[in-house]
Amino acid sequence: RKEVEQDPGPFNVPEGATVAFNCTYSNSASQSFFWYRQDCRKEPKLLMSVYSSGNEDGRFTAQLNRASQYISLLIRDSKLSDSATYLCVVSPSGGYNKLIFGAGTRLAVHP
Amino acid sequence: GAGVSQSPRYKVAKRGQDVALRCDPISGHVSLFWYQQALGQGPEFLTYFQNEAQLDKSGLPSDRFFAERPEGSVSTLKIQRTQQEDSAVYLCASSSLPGQGNTEAFFGQGTRLTVV
């Protein structure tokens, strides 16, 4: 079983739609949580960190449920430019930020 | 530029050939990571350096893979006797240490290795 599991998609949604991605992780000792965005043939870039209290950045909302080992990302009012692969990432406890990636969920927003 | 720089961007190697991939991290970043990303998958951790010390090489898939960072800045990932299953994008990332400011990991654009 992979340490971080995501629905691979693709999610095909019209502009303006709300879309939610989910992710589960297996290591209960994981300390930090992130969503990264990766455009086709580009490097991953940090979208947002995820906190137990939930956090919002504009149209993006991330939630963490430590008890269920579950992370979510909600995108409201989807734009064409949101089309990308969204990677769920966890970092185990320790002195450096080693990142464990899920396989990614592909989002395609169409007009 | 100010970002992580990797070279070459593309490499085609014949099976059995040795290759060397270079990473120039962001100046001053203590931490340097190598990841391997196969097609349709997320990046998988290979190895970690703190300055010149290789503190974690648990992700290196075989003894054909070797990484170094001799002066604590530029790093090289070497793959000996390449096999077809080594075909992937190799990503380098650098960051500050936890407790020393923003620890976001910044990735280079990667080296796409194709073994034929």
Side-chain angles (χ1 to χ4, degrees), chain A residues 6 15 25 29 47-48 106 108:
Chain A
Q6 291 183 254
E15 276 185 290
Y25 61 95
L47 179 66
M48 58 198 301
R106 205 152 55 87

CSV table of all heavy atoms in Angstrom, one decimal, chain A residues 6 15 25 29 47-48 106 108:
chain,number,residue,atom,x,y,z
A,6,GLN,N,-4.2,8.9,-3.5
A,6,GLN,CA,-5.1,9.9,-4.1
A,6,GLN,C,-5.9,9.2,-5.3
A,6,GLN,O,-5.4,8.3,-5.9
A,6,GLN,CB,-4.3,11.0,-4.8
A,6,GLN,CG,-3.6,11.9,-3.8
A,6,GLN,CD,-2.9,13.0,-4.6
A,6,GLN,OE1,-1.7,13.0,-4.8
A,6,GLN,NE2,-3.6,14.0,-5.1
A,15,GLU,N,-15.8,25.5,-16.2
A,15,GLU,CA,-15.4,26.7,-15.5
A,15,GLU,C,-16.5,27.1,-14.5
A,15,GLU,O,-17.7,27.0,-14.8
A,15,GLU,CB,-15.3,27.9,-16.5
A,15,GLU,CG,-14.0,28.0,-17.2
A,15,GLU,CD,-13.9,29.3,-18.1
A,15,GLU,OE1,-14.6,29.3,-19.1
A,15,GLU,OE2,-13.2,30.2,-17.7
A,25,TYR,N,-3.3,9.2,4.1
A,25,TYR,CA,-1.9,8.8,4.3
A,25,TYR,C,-1.9,7.8,5.4
A,25,TYR,O,-2.7,7.7,6.3
A,25,TYR,CB,-1.1,10.1,4.7
A,25,TYR,CG,-1.6,10.8,6.0
A,25,TYR,CD1,-1.0,10.5,7.2
A,25,TYR,CD2,-2.6,11.7,5.9
A,25,TYR,CE1,-1.4,11.2,8.3
A,25,TYR,CE2,-3.0,12.4,7.1
A,25,TYR,CZ,-2.4,12.1,8.3
A,25,TYR,OH,-2.8,12.7,9.4
A,29,ALA,N,2.5,9.2,12.2
A,29,ALA,CA,3.5,10.1,12.7
A,29,ALA,C,3.8,11.3,11.8
A,29,ALA,O,4.7,12.1,12.1
A,29,ALA,CB,4.8,9.3,13.0
A,47,LEU,N,1.4,24.7,-3.5
A,47,LEU,CA,0.1,25.4,-3.6
A,47,LEU,C,-0.2,26.0,-2.2
A,47,LEU,O,-0.5,27.2,-2.0
A,47,LEU,CB,-1.0,24.5,-4.1
A,47,LEU,CG,-2.4,25.1,-4.2
A,47,LEU,CD1,-2.4,26.1,-5.3
A,47,LEU,CD2,-3.4,24.0,-4.5
A,48,MET,N,-0.3,25.1,-1.2
A,48,MET,CA,-0.6,25.5,0.2
A,48,MET,C,-0.2,24.5,1.2
A,48,MET,O,-0.2,23.3,0.8
A,48,MET,CB,-2.0,26.0,0.3
A,48,MET,CG,-3.0,24.9,0.0
A,48,MET,SD,-4.7,25.6,-0.3
A,48,MET,CE,-5.0,26.5,1.2
A,106,ARG,N,-5.5,14.5,-11.5
A,106,ARG,CA,-5.5,15.4,-12.7
A,106,ARG,C,-6.8,16.2,-12.8
A,106,ARG,O,-7.9,15.5,-12.7
A,106,ARG,CB,-5.2,14.6,-14.0
A,106,ARG,CG,-4.6,15.5,-15.1
A,106,ARG,CD,-3.7,14.7,-16.0
A,106,ARG,NE,-4.4,13.5,-16.6
A,106,ARG,CZ,-5.1,13.6,-17.7
A,106,ARG,NH1,-5.3,14.7,-18.3
A,106,ARG,NH2,-5.7,12.5,-18.1
A,108,ALA,N,-9.0,18.8,-15.2
A,108,ALA,CA,-9.1,19.6,-16.5
A,108,ALA,C,-10.3,20.4,-16.4
A,108,ALA,O,-11.4,19.9,-16.2
A,108,ALA,CB,-9.2,18.6,-17.6
